[in-house]
Amino acid sequence: MSTTVNIRALVVRAAGVNCERETLLALESAGAKPDLLHMQQLIDAPSRFDDYSLLVLPGGFSYGDDIAAGRVLGFEMRSFLGEALSRFVARGGYVLGVCNGFQVLVDTGLLESVSAKPSERTIALTANVSGHYECRWITLRNEPSACKWLEAGALWPTPVAHGEGRLMFKDPSALARLRENGQIALRYVARDGGAPQYPDCPNGSTEAIAGLCDRTGRVFGLMPHPERNVAPWHHPRWTRNAPRAEGEGLEFYRRLVAAAGA
Amino acid sequence: MAPHASTSVQPSRPVGAPPQAWRVEVFRRAQIDDPAGASAVAALREVGVQGVRSIRRGHGYLLSPELSPAALQGIVQRLLVDPVLEEARVTPPGDFPRRSEPSAKGANKLHRILVMRRRGVMDPTAVTIERAIARSGLGEEREVRALTFQAFEIEGELDRAHLERAAQDVLANDVVDEVYIDDDALHFEFPTAGATRVIQHVPLREANDTELERISREGQLSLSLDEMHAIQAHYRAAGREPTIAEIETLAQTWSEHCKHKTFTGIIDYDGERIDNLLKRTIKAATVELNKPWCVSVFHDNAGVIEFDAGWNVCFKVETHNHPSAIDPYGGAGTGVGGVIRDILGVGLGAKPIANTDAFFVGPADLPLEKLPKGCMHPRRILRGVVAGVRDYGNRMGIPTVNGGVWFHPRYVGNPLVYAGCVGLMPADCTDKHVAPGDAIVVVGGRTGRDGIHGATFSSLELHDESQVVSSSAVQIGDPITEKRVCDALLRARDARLYRAVTDCGAGGLSSAVGEMGADCGAEVDLELVPLKYPGLSPAEIWISEAQERMVLAVPPEKLDALLAVFRAEDCEATAIGRFNATGKLELRYRGERVGLLDMSFLHDGDPRPLRVAKRPAIDATDPGCPPCADANAATLALLRAPNIASKEWIVRQYDHEVQGMGVLKPLCGERDDGPGDAAVLQPLAHSKRGIAIGCGANPDYGLRDPYAMATAVIDEALRNVVAVGGDPARTAILDNFSWGNCKRPEQLGTLVEAARGCYAAAIAYETPFISGKDSLNNEFRTGDETISIPPTLYVSALAIVPDVSRSVSMELKRAGNALYLVGMTHAEFGGSQYFSLAGLEGGRAPRPDLALAPRTLRALHSALKDGLARACHDLSEGGLAVAAAEMAFAGELGAALDLENAPLGDFDAARVDRDTALLFSESCTRFLVEVAPEHAADFERALKGLDFARIGVVRTERRLSIARGAKSLVSLDLDALRAAHQGAFQG
């Protein structure tokens, strides 16, 4: 877990991806060596995945979120990079999808199975119960999950900024399966860790779930933006809290990079 | 007209012919809730459409009929439907869709309202779908066309009139949408036009004045008779008639919007001759101040100042008023898109890092029956412009961090929308030069008939048929195309693949190419411009204001590399001509010349108008200020006043965190609900240097005294940036004037006064203007009545923050800390929120003491920079009571204030109640500052010689108590304060 230097991370962008700046900065601060590649460069040469141990799909509005959030980029990933992605995950690669990247990740089905067809998908991210986009800080709790690189039980603040972050499931058994597999990795909680009300849970997500992983814990998606809580003064109340050296999101990236490099 | 308008039908039977296209309607499964439908129900009830039980909102798609059923199924399942939540209803070409049944048998009728874009109006989702199908091969090698629509299935007891009202007031905008009520006809048509007439001349040389005026009016040229004479004389001398392309180019270039004719013309001000008001006031201040850190001012698309070693920042604020009045969503969105392109087009291009927005609208609680004919309700306008800014800014990945909303009855027919953008650029990218021989390359969106005559439209006043007549000036933005432009452009910039860039704004290519080639010459082959659809005439191509386009000057040897960069970003880029050394602008279409203009005539041939201005009579009525009977009630009422109350519902819809630069957010405090004074950003991760972005405006002061208003709103913008840690000695400001019709001498007189106020204040504070914009024809005609907007000056401030870790937020921090009131309170109630609440009229409008105020700002900044303040909040609308209340509830801490020693100006104690003035007067240059006991002595030293007093202490008890000596004035608990602040219109 100690050799995090030179972990190569691949950050993918496409038209409308717009969180690449903070994502690259967070990865660098966490000790990784990130490259930013356009989706088309990967389609032209899928072997480029081989150079990396961590793949990051950052936030944004890929293709304007036309049809549905993340749909068209998810469709393109499925159509053009499905095999390469499956190979990448199968050989032990780590994948992180943040916000729009999470929406894309859900659409690809990678969180459910490396080979699922779109029609077999049982997880969906959809319009917030409030009916609109919302930007605010919330509190997350790491759940005991297959994601061993996260410290279970920890509470940490993170901003969210999305209009379609409500997790829904095809039926109760789909949710039960995720629970059994240890795939529920993050939940929204009240600031003191208690049961969340709106807006603690900003989108009405089922069981206040904020983040999911696959069965291995290597594919991870979340709606909040840990990369926007890296500098000491990112926190909205830093002027009234005790001085700090960094934001809590940096620890998230540090652990992810360490796990990907282990 | 929408197809339904004159048809009376049985609601359940289809009336028109079904479209010759595959129809796919995607709805959520019946057992799954539908937030969009629920929102529509609430919106219908709000406009008085009762009887709605439920609404389901579906996404509809029309796709080329040639697709095989198998291909169509593939597209539906792989692209259009969420398999977990949704189901698709597919209807073959030429068929009517199967009707869904009402949920409760026989209980209610099910009505359908379908909404789709009018032909030729941008449909970005359709473009995305066509592209995704083409790239993936799902269309079986065919070219697949797509259109989208929305389907609302409404259950309830509704008659035809209800349904029409639902469509008109809530679900659709007649300007851009077609509506089908219980009618599944839809259209599957794409705009084309008949044969293109290549060259047309305008018979001008023999025309008399009446004919000249008619040509200008019927051609929507907005050219005055003087200007028509100048053009006539020019073409008489040239011995030929102008072509349409030429006269359109002249009309665009000479428009008020592009030329600022009023500000730069000659004004007779009660006999005093003012030659170029802009140069004599706004620009004069900048020239006289001559700050070395001003890098580029007034001549480029935005003002540029030095930021940090090797880096500059730039700022531009635009008005987009008239398009927003007839289509709030599209108008505000394209306003944001336009100002972002200004930033992309400054120097060699800057990276947009922050957006600002300000809206001036009619009262949100305006009774429906008081709404003038032809106007949208202010609530609908406000929601629409907020959504427009949200969807454009959020999609571009630019945080919207600062702005404001002001309500006033005189904005009902003519709302104002300001959109600003801040950019960051390497210092060596600030200059641009076009060289003869450079290719003219247009990048980004395609050109259509949309937005034709936007520049001249914005120079006209609105009237109650504007919605119908001017819809071609309205556009829907396509932020993802602009994001592609941004991504590609900055990469091409860093590789130095072009020599100059500018955006296509008002006037389209005519303005962009005309400006870039002004000093050399240019030739353009208009048939090379990529079009959205065929059939545009050369003149239309030339003046179309289709969005998301920019123009580059590319050295020939770099053209291939540049085109490759844009191709890699999936962004269209096309060479359409070249710059040359002829001094002329030559337009060709398929080899035939359709225009040839001297650059000198184009840019300098317009006659300078002479306008008459009359000194405005300043109303000196002053009712004094009677004692406030119940200061508690007044404080709560002020917190609830629309101009003061929380704008959280707007702020939360904007992504103010993207790019991860935020240091102080728009909302502060323990519960993130305190209104911050200004945003602070840290643009470079390696440097603690930051920028603060703030603003000021006050139309109520403007109505009382335009000169005082100008100085007061500059003071306000500066207070805001200084309060968070901005350095007043490194602050640049921007002016945006929106005024009534300045052809009226009294209107123009108020503009002269405000501009002179700007000059005086800029000189006094040593804050140069670096950019500005004016919109001078904001009035609304309904019947016989003409309503002018209040004089509205919106000032933006951009300040350097020396060290972001010393930024100061507005909310109280710790019990036991001292509270200082900085600045002198005068009896200044003119245009104040308190007078408006108390029903009092008259009074002196607030104005800063220009000798003292700059010193106060500098001293306060030095205290903040040294870390001596824990909180700082400026006093503005509502005065001290409101500022103290905001600091208290935001900090979840109480405060006890004693105003006995508060610095007080001279006034007539017999006519003005001292306590009321201390609580609610809106005098400028005042702050409430929280200081820890150990810093009190240093803080007092920093402000020595200035007006300030220690007036209180922060307490744990959750109550704001304001007294003077033994007399209690205000005592309210924090929950009451917070509830009042959240108690106005919340979207």
Side-chain angles (χ1 to χ4, degrees), chain A residues 139-145 147-158 184-189 210-211 220 222 226 248 251-252 255:
Chain A
T139 303
L140 292 173
R141 183 179 64 213
N142 298 341
E143 302 294 82
S145 72
C147 218
K148 299 300 177 208
W149 51 274
L150 274 181
E151 183 196 357
L155 302 183
W156 50 297
T158 315
I184 297 166
L186 287 173
R187 279 197 165 86
Y188 303 102
V189 292
F220 191 99
L222 76 169
E248 291 82 356
E251 180 64 13
F252 172 88
R255 285 168 173 267

Side-chain angles (χ1 to χ4, degrees), chain B residues 297-634:
Chain B
V297 288
F298 288 111
H299 75 268
D300 205 337
N301 288 318
V304 185
I305 62 170
E306 282 177 7
F307 172 55
D308 203 351
W311 293 89
N312 292 336
V313 284
C314 52
F315 197 2
K316 172 67 173 279
V317 179
E318 269 284 6
T319 56
H320 219 232
N321 302 336
H322 291 182
S324 304
I326 61 173
D327 178 21
Y329 180 84
T334 52
V336 173
V339 79
I340 292 169
R341 287 196 304 282
D342 278 328
I343 293 305
L344 292 173
V346 69
L348 292 180
K351 182 187 179 196
I353 60 169
N355 282 347
T356 66
D357 64 334
F359 310 126
F360 295 79
V361 296
D365 57 358
L366 185 76
L368 285 175
E369 64 274 13
K370 289 204 172 160
L371 191 65
K373 179 172 166 275
C375 292
M376 282 189 197
H377 194 278
R379 273 195 305 263
R380 188 174 186 197
I381 290 179
L382 185 56
R383 288 185 183 123
V385 295
V386 167
V389 169
R390 174 194 68 203
D391 285 355
Y392 213 106
N394 290 358
R395 276 168 174 69
M396 285 296 292
I398 303 167
T400 302
V401 298
N402 185 256
V405 186
W406 285 262
F407 299 89
H408 195 285
R410 282 164 67 173
Y411 296 119
V412 166
N414 194 140
L416 307 180
V417 171
Y418 297 84
C421 188
V422 177
L424 174 71
M425 66 203 303
D428 60 1
C429 287
T430 310
D431 296 322
K432 58 178 142 204
H433 305 282
V434 172
D438 285 355
I440 301 172
V441 176
V442 60
V443 304
R446 292 188 157 209
T447 298
R449 201 167 276 127
D450 39 357
I452 284 183
H453 284 134
T456 49
F457 169 59
S458 71
S459 308
L460 295 165
E461 83 248 36
L462 295 174
H463 51 88
D464 52 19
E465 285 180 1
S466 296
Q467 282 203 14
V468 184
V469 176
S470 307
S471 60
S472 72
V474 173
Q475 305 172 65
I476 305 293
D478 181 13
I480 293 314
T481 295
E482 185 141 311
K483 183 72 167 76
R484 288 189 176 107
V485 171
C486 176
D487 289 348
L489 186 85
L490 295 179
R491 283 173 172 80
R493 177 198 73 182
D494 291 342
R496 294 294 189 275
L497 296 179
Y498 56 85
R499 235 193 293 263
V501 56
T502 199
D503 73 304
C504 279
L509 290 170
S510 76
S511 292
V513 176
E515 270 171 38
M516 288 176 86
D519 296 329
C520 52
E523 56 195 89
V524 175
D525 291 298
L526 290 165
E527 76 278 6
L528 298 177
V529 176
L531 301 181
K532 291 179 178 173
Y533 37 81
L536 272 70
S537 75
E540 287 176 319
I541 296 170
W542 185 234
I543 62 161
S544 159
E545 296 178 9
Q547 296 290 305
E548 288 94 23
R549 301 176 304 159
M550 301 193 72
V551 175
L552 310 179
V554 183
E557 69 277 12
K558 294 185 174 171
L559 184 59
D560 286 346
L562 179 112
L563 296 177
V565 166
F566 278 83
R567 205 159 39 238
E569 300 290 332
D570 199 13
C571 181
E572 205 156 18
T574 312
I576 60 166
R578 61 184 199 99
F579 292 104
N580 58 32
T582 60
K584 291 183 190 302
L585 176 63
E586 180 174 7
L587 304 176
R588 292 184 296 256
Y589 187 77
R590 296 182 180 153
E592 191 171 357
R593 178 186 288 167
V594 295
L596 184 67
L597 277 160
D598 289 333
M599 286 289 188
S600 57
F601 179 67
L602 177 60
H603 291 290
D604 303 317
D606 54 322
R608 296 182 65 204
L610 173 71
R611 298 259 156 87
V612 177
K614 190 170 171 323
R615 187 175 300 275
I618 305 299
D619 169 19
T621 329
D622 192 342
C625 180
C628 176
D630 185 344
N632 280 336

Side-chain angles (χ1 to χ4, degrees), chain A residues 13 21-22 40 64 66 71 76 78 118 126 133 135 137 166 191 228 233-234 237-240, chain B residues 28 33 78-79 128 135 480 569 652 657 659-660 663 665 670 672 682-683 809 811-812 870 891:
Chain A
R13 68 184 181 90
R21 177 189 185 266
E22 58 267 43
Q40 190 59 47
D66 291 340
R71 174 70 54 74
E76 297 210 328
R78 284 185 262 125
T126 187
Y133 184 99
C135 177
W137 280 66
R166 177 189 183 189
R191 209 187 281 182
R228 298 184 187 173
W233 35 81
H234 274 152
R237 291 175 293 280
W238 70 269
T239 54
R240 56 193 295 108
Chain B
R28 292 189 162 205
D33 65 295
R78 297 186 57 195
L79 189 59
T128 299
R135 267 166 67 85
I480 293 314
E569 300 290 332
R652 293 264 171 251
E657 302 275 356
Q659 299 191 25
V663 172
K665 335 262 174 185
E670 194 55 31
D672 301 331
Q682 183 201 10
S809 58
E811 85 280 13
L812 296 181
R870 291 291 284 126

